[in-house]
Amino acid sequence: MTVSTPKIQRLGRSDTQGIIDAIAKDGCCVVKGFADPETVETVNNEVRPYLDADKPWKGDLFPPETRRCSNLVGRSKTARETWFVDPLIRSVNAAFIDKTTSNYYGETKHTYTSEAVCTIALTFDIGPGAQAQRLHRDDKNYHVDHVDQTATGYRNGSDVLIGFLIAGVHTSFENGATLAIPGSHLWDAARVPHRHEATYAALDPGDMWIMLGSLYHAGGANVTASEHRVVHGFFYVRGYIRQEENAYLINSPEDVLGWSPEVQKSMGYTLSSPNVGAVFFRPPLQYMSGDDAEFLGDFDPSQEGRK
């Protein structure tokens, strides 16, 4: 049986509306030439010390051959001042993640827009020998109830998360380019993704891969002997998916560590299953206590699958 796999659309960075249309149709696209070579090289150099210092992951979330530079916005001035605030990223966020609603104060109608905020920014370096991830949706962290849209077409506003990944090197099927199933953002929660349905997002340095949080995808396997697949990622979520009062800045670590475990949990100082709330991939209370003991493993046993 021949399986027909949808192709990934590739567009120039000036074609904003074409990019938005492609994402609505397929859940993803490639933006050719998003970043210039000089900026890519600078960001690669800025994150390299953090990648080299990272340690192997011990769970199923990442292959042990993968290295990460978390806090990309804080650690790379170039990525922060150029890519992170690029007008194209802002326009795509406005189209898919920003949320505008209206209600009344008394008899006066007020309209509010909650703009997207970064939920995580990091660099991935997939090294030789890494196995592919399992196909998954990134919005699993936000417990989205997916309904079937294959017959109706994409319903704008149904996504709460979007990811932008900028290639630091040439990415290919052989060195671990992202696997994805275009169109799977329209599937309901009951439909199972299969590897034979996926294609891969080959990128040249400076190209950008965009995908909705509802798209089934996975980091590919790196079957090369010496190549590293480096991509720089920014993931944005709806701006209101956070606490109204910013307890994390109000309360000192010393105070929080003195609270009961029940209070710590209810105030958001523990992790939300499966992956929300980590600090440099560590449980927040461990980080706050100054415990430097190694913790690089899955936060939730439900993540585990491949043994």
Side-chain angles (χ1 to χ4, degrees), residues 168-181:
V169 298
H170 175 72
T171 76
S172 64
F173 178 80
E174 291 76 16
N175 71 10
T178 299
L179 304 172
I181 306 178

Side-chain angles (χ1 to χ4, degrees), residues 2 29 33 47-48 59 63 88 93 95 133 144 146 153-154 157 166 171 180 203 227 236 241 243 247-248 251 284:
T2 300
C29 74
V47 302
R48 177 47 56 188
L88 174 59
N93 276 328
Q133 291 180 309
V144 176
H146 291 282
Y154 182 69
I166 301 150
T171 76
L203 303 173
E227 295 182 24
Y236 296 79
I241 303 181
Q243 292 170 309
Y248 311 121
N251 299 289

Side-chain angles (χ1 to χ4, degrees), residues 26-249:
D26 298 329
C28 59
C29 74
V30 169
V31 179
K32 295 296 298 177
F34 171 79
D36 62 81
E38 293 76 18
T39 303
V40 171
E41 182 178 4
T42 299
V43 175
N44 286 348
N45 290 334
E46 287 174 348
V47 302
R48 177 47 56 188
Y50 303 102
L51 294 173
D52 290 343
D54 195 26
K55 297 180 180 180
W57 193 261
K58 295 182 179 179
D60 193 59
L61 185 60
F62 300 107
E65 295 82 5
T66 294
R67 297 294 181 269
R68 297 148 299 272
C69 169
S70 54
N71 188 25
L72 178 60
V73 171
R75 286 172 161 174
S76 170
K77 178 181 179 180
T78 305
R80 178 176 67 247
E81 302 299 331
T82 54
W83 301 342
F84 186 63
V85 292
D86 190 277
L88 174 59
I89 290 179
R90 175 85 282 278
S91 295
V92 174
N93 276 328
F96 292 99
I97 306 302
D98 291 6
K99 180 72 171 180
T100 300
T101 54
S102 299
N103 59 55
Y104 284 86
Y105 268 124
E107 297 180 358
T108 304
K109 186 177 182 179
H110 293 259
T111 299
Y112 312 96
T113 297
S114 177
E115 293 190 356
V117 296
C118 183
T119 182
I120 189 169
L122 70 166
T123 297
F124 301 97
D125 180 337
I126 298 180
Q131 297 183 47
Q133 291 180 309
R134 290 174 288 162
L135 290 164
H136 62 280
R137 284 169 156 159
D138 279 345
D139 65 9
K140 66 185 183 302
N141 287 339
Y142 299 101
H143 297 266
V144 176
D145 294 315
H146 291 282
V147 298
D148 181 61
Q149 300 179 61
T150 55
T152 61
Y154 182 69
R155 179 172 59 83
N156 193 52
S158 59
D159 275 273
V160 303
L161 175 80
I162 194 168
F164 304 82
L165 290 95
I166 301 150
V169 298
H170 175 72
T171 76
S172 64
F173 178 80
E174 291 76 16
N175 71 10
T178 299
L179 304 172
I181 306 178
S184 61
H185 66 309
L186 305 176
W187 296 359
D188 63 23
R191 184 164 173 178
V192 179
H194 299 287
R195 185 61 60 85
H196 68 258
E197 299 174 284
T199 185
Y200 65 97
L203 303 173
D204 293 320
D207 289 352
M208 180 167 67
W209 165 249
I210 306 177
M211 60 181 175
L212 293 172
S214 54
L215 186 81
Y216 275 109
H217 71 285
N222 188 334
V223 298
T224 70
S226 59
E227 295 182 24
H228 285 251
R229 193 211 75 167
V230 178
V231 293
H232 309 284
F234 304 101
F235 298 82
Y236 296 79
V237 72
R238 286 190 174 169
Y240 59 81
I241 303 181
R242 52 180 166 171
Q243 292 170 309
E244 181 175 349
E245 183 177 57
N246 196 325
Y248 311 121
L249 296 181

